[in-house]
Amino acid sequence: MSGNGLLGAGEIRALAERAGVRPTKTLGQNFVLDAGTVRKIVRQADVAAGERVVEVGPGLGSLTLGLLEAGADVVAVEIDPVLARLLPETVASHVPGLVRVDGPPDGPVVLRDAGGRDRLTVVLRDALEVEELPGPPPVALVANLPYNVSVPVLLTFLERFDSLERALVMVQAEVADRLAAPPGSRTYGVPSAKAAWYAHARRTATVGRSVFWPVPNVDSALVRLDRREPPVTTATREQVFTVVDAAFAQRRKMLRPALATLAGSAAAAEAALVAAGVDPQARGERLDVEAFARIAEHLGPVPGGPGTVEA
């Protein structure tokens, strides 16, 4: 263990070597080596003792230990079976007094303290396939999200777990900009509008490349999302998200032609836009999520898929 109580760079590399783990681009893995960055994430997430936090992609456990250090109980969702097996061993060796409690062979692995609290629960699953989590519902999502699925994972968890009051995630810097972008800005798009359905998002910090192993080719950033009530509308979330997708399918297209297929004709699209109080010649990047909700109401029933995982 590093002198500050969290994993140090040397120990992280030793853990990986002992387990035969090499970070893979396929799973978007970049492990955090720097304890200061871990503590910054925990601090900006406002993690409090006794809270239940869900972490997606815990990797070798750097952030997991930081969350446990703050007194949180962690449910960690890991897709890599080698890492999922290694995590309880790493945590047990760093946090005194935790006892492993094994359930069914295909169930989660739990580390419990002397008082009977489940401090760590490891779930071996693809995060995009998780529809429920063991134990009390989590109040926060705190994660160094795999780069290649960061937006789908974030939106899926906000949809499926309405107990989540907030999220603090590390993502690619350009993804952070898109998630936090306001209407009218250059980076505003599908992730911005869909995230705004669930939460207020803001970029809180830039993270240098040198804190990761392997060193990524892009900068990273932290994004804080605080849950808010969705827009008041008679349209479903799926219908609103379908309109968002159509509006941005060809970014520079005006809304009248962009929504023509969805509405059945350009004339029907224009009528719905006018009824919603939106200029038919406007473009999608000018509209907030409330405006998309009004359009969805006036379009009436539209084909709506899951509408949660597109970036």
Side-chain angles (χ1 to χ4, degrees), residues 152-163:
V153 167
L154 177 62
L155 295 178
T156 295
F157 270 67
L158 288 171
E159 175 204 343
R160 293 178 181 170
F161 301 101
D162 56 12
S163 63

Side-chain angles (χ1 to χ4, degrees), residues 40-92:
K40 178 187 287 188
I41 294 170
V42 175
R43 186 171 60 251
Q44 294 195 359
D46 289 330
V47 173
E51 286 190 322
R52 190 160 178 88
V53 174
V54 59
E55 181 187 5
V56 174
L60 291 167
S62 298
L63 179 56
T64 312
L65 286 170
L67 293 167
L68 292 168
E69 179 184 71
D73 301 332
V74 180
V75 53
V77 180
E78 176 57 63
I79 191 174
D80 187 322
V82 175
L83 293 175
R85 285 194 301 270
L86 183 63
L87 184 61
E89 299 174 11
T90 302
V91 169

Side-chain angles (χ1 to χ4, degrees), residues 126-131 147-160 175 178-179 190-195 198 237-238 241-242 244-245 304-311:
D126 181 338
L128 291 172
E129 297 176 0
V130 172
E131 296 188 356
Y147 282 166
N148 54 346
V149 290
S150 56
V151 171
V153 167
L154 177 62
L155 295 178
T156 295
F157 270 67
L158 288 171
E159 175 204 343
R160 293 178 181 170
V175 173
R178 290 204 299 270
L179 285 169
V190 172
S192 325
K194 291 184 178 180
Y198 301 105
R237 177 188 51 77
E238 289 86 355
F241 282 12
T242 299
V244 171
D245 287 333
T308 59
V309 300
E310 297 86 348

